[in-house]
Amino acid sequence: MQVFRGFRHPGVAPACALTIGNFDGVHRGHQAMLALLQTEARHRGLPSSVLTFEPHPRDYFAAVTKKPDLAPARIGTLRDKLTELAACGVAQTIVLPFDGRLASQSPEQFIQNVLIDGLGARYVLVGDDFRFGAKRAGDYAMLDAAGDMHGFDVARMNSYEVHGLRVSSSAVRDALAEGRMADAQHLLGRPYTISGHVVHGRKLGRALGASAPGKDDGFRTLNMRFKHWKPAASGIFAVLVHGLAEQPLPGVANLGVRPSLDANDVNAGRVLLETHCLEWPSHLGAEGAYGKIVRVELLHKLHDELRYTSLEALTAGIAKDGRDARAFFASTHAETHRQTTRDRI
């Protein structure tokens, strides 16, 4: 999949079949829409294209109005969004910066400047709640009328439901906020996953729980920045780590702001996913994970973030979280074995 920041690039296709949206999480509703887009694109001999925005429009208005509560919790990073769009077979994605200039465009200007002149849209697929242009004044009827006038097809896809539940980014956010990871997985069609580069931290974890003073064989962690200040999920989780070994590695992870650490933390003020592999891969040594891209599946929430009053209490808390994560994986393995046995009977 080709990715472009804006549409003023020579590599952008001169004509396309297009869908528009934020696609936070790329959940099953999004996936159904992208499958339809692929079909329509093939019929027309056009590349399938996604137009998305960064920052999220509601992030922009939250910043402008200084009302942070207007910003939605973010399900995934831009990296993860693009990864999932590529997995759905999208040919090109245009990431359009959402700024004051774009926010002030009338619906008619958006259609002319972006859809027609910028992207050469020949087919446009939108959701049933799609609104666009300044003050969200544009709707499906306006877009459909513009298609008739300018010669591009317009289609609308109704809400996608599973067992009577509308699949939406809001539903995924609610599930993640409440720690209902199985429900989030059902809505997403896959485990909830965060990926990114492993970055340096204070290296405090390796000293906590070390076998002896001066050793660094304690709770080594993989630190990944979640590049948004308001993640949809937070807390302590049993996880699987991909990208360090041939098989995924079980672990325990903290997603949040680490309230027990002081302001001198090198990542202070940033949301961090800190993952401790229950069995550290020996081939990595102490430094071998830095710079690698890893993918972490958050499978089961153990509890919310806690503030510990001392390093000793923090060490004991991390050790307990490790034991609880091991218990989760043991129970999951046992249940899988029981299900396999029943299937064979």
Side-chain angles (χ1 to χ4, degrees):
M1 181 181 76
Q2 291 185 293
V3 179
F4 300 95
R5 292 275 189 166
F7 48 75
R8 302 187 188 282
H9 298 279
V12 174
C16 68
L18 180 72
T19 190
I20 309 166
N22 294 301
F23 292 95
D24 192 17
V26 194
H27 53 62
R28 291 173 68 180
H30 294 144
Q31 293 162 30
M33 176 174 280
L34 294 169
L36 176 57
L37 179 71
Q38 292 285 90
T39 298
E40 296 294 338
R42 283 195 298 270
H43 286 169
R44 290 167 169 78
L46 295 169
S48 58
S49 302
V50 167
L51 175 63
T52 191
F53 308 97
E54 189 66 31
H56 192 293
R58 285 166 58 192
D59 283 345
Y60 168 80
F61 289 113
V64 168
T65 60
K66 298 182 180 179
K67 296 179 180 179
D69 288 346
L70 293 178
R74 188 66 64 92
I75 298 170
T77 63
L78 179 59
R79 171 193 292 278
D80 288 328
K81 179 197 297 189
L82 295 175
T83 296
E84 294 303 327
L85 290 174
C88 290
V90 174
Q92 69 174 11
T93 292
I94 313 300
V95 182
L96 201 59
F98 197 92
D99 53 19
R101 181 178 178 182
L102 183 62
S104 65
Q105 282 192 0
S106 69
E108 294 82 3
Q109 289 173 323
F110 179 83
I111 291 169
Q112 185 65 54
N113 297 339
V114 178
L115 303 187
I116 298 173
D117 296 340
L119 296 173
R122 297 290 180 266
Y123 170 86
V124 180
L125 173 66
V126 296
D128 56 4
D129 57 353
F130 179 68
R131 307 290 298 222
F132 65 102
K135 299 182 179 179
R136 293 169 51 86
D139 58 12
Y140 176 78
M142 181 183 291
L143 185 63
D144 191 39
D148 285 341
M149 181 181 300
H150 296 285
F152 60 86
D153 295 330
V154 178
R156 174 171 54 186
M157 184 168 177
N158 293 328
S159 299
Y160 186 83
E161 296 186 356
V162 176
H163 301 306
L165 174 66
R166 182 176 184 270
V167 179
S168 67
S169 294
S170 295
V172 177
R173 291 186 189 106
D174 289 345
L176 292 175
E178 296 165 12
R180 296 184 283 110
M181 307 310 291
D183 289 345
Q185 178 172 339
H186 188 63
L187 292 165
L188 292 168
R190 63 185 186 280
Y192 177 58
T193 303
I194 297 172
S195 68
H197 287 92
V198 178
V199 301
H200 289 273
R202 287 179 61 191
K203 300 178 175 61
L204 177 63
R206 63 179 65 182
L208 298 178
S211 58
K215 293 282 190 178
D216 63 355
D217 57 353
F219 302 115
R220 294 194 184 103
T221 58
L222 307 166
N223 299 337
M224 290 163 40
R225 291 173 185 150
F226 188 91
K227 295 186 178 180
H228 192 268
W229 62 275
K230 193 176 180 181
S234 65
I236 315 302
F237 299 85
V239 303
L240 284 176
V241 180
H242 300 258
L244 294 179
E246 291 185 3
Q247 297 298 321
L249 302 171
V252 59
N254 184 121
L255 175 59
V257 295
R258 304 161 312 288
S260 298
L261 298 183
D262 61 35
N264 294 320
D265 177 14
V266 68
N267 289 298
R270 292 171 171 164
V271 177
L272 203 69
L273 179 64
E274 276 187 313
T275 303
H276 168 59
C277 296
L278 298 178
E279 299 296 336
W280 186 260
S282 59
H283 69 276
L284 291 176
E287 308 292 328
Y290 293 118
K292 291 185 179 296
I293 296 177
V294 298
R295 183 166 55 88
V296 181
E297 293 181 9
L298 282 64
L299 300 179
H300 173 69
K301 184 169 181 176
L302 299 174
H303 58 80
D304 290 332
E305 279 194 292
L306 300 174
R307 181 180 293 277
Y308 295 100
T309 58
S310 67
L311 290 180
E312 291 76 14
L314 176 59
T315 301
I318 296 173
K320 182 180 185 304
D321 292 339
R323 292 193 297 272
D324 291 345
R326 290 180 190 276
F328 165 76
F329 286 112
S331 65
T332 301
H333 177 76
E335 177 58 32
T336 301
H337 178 72
R338 284 193 294 270
Q339 183 62 51
T340 301
T341 302
R342 285 195 294 267
D343 291 344
R344 289 173 177 171
I345 297 175

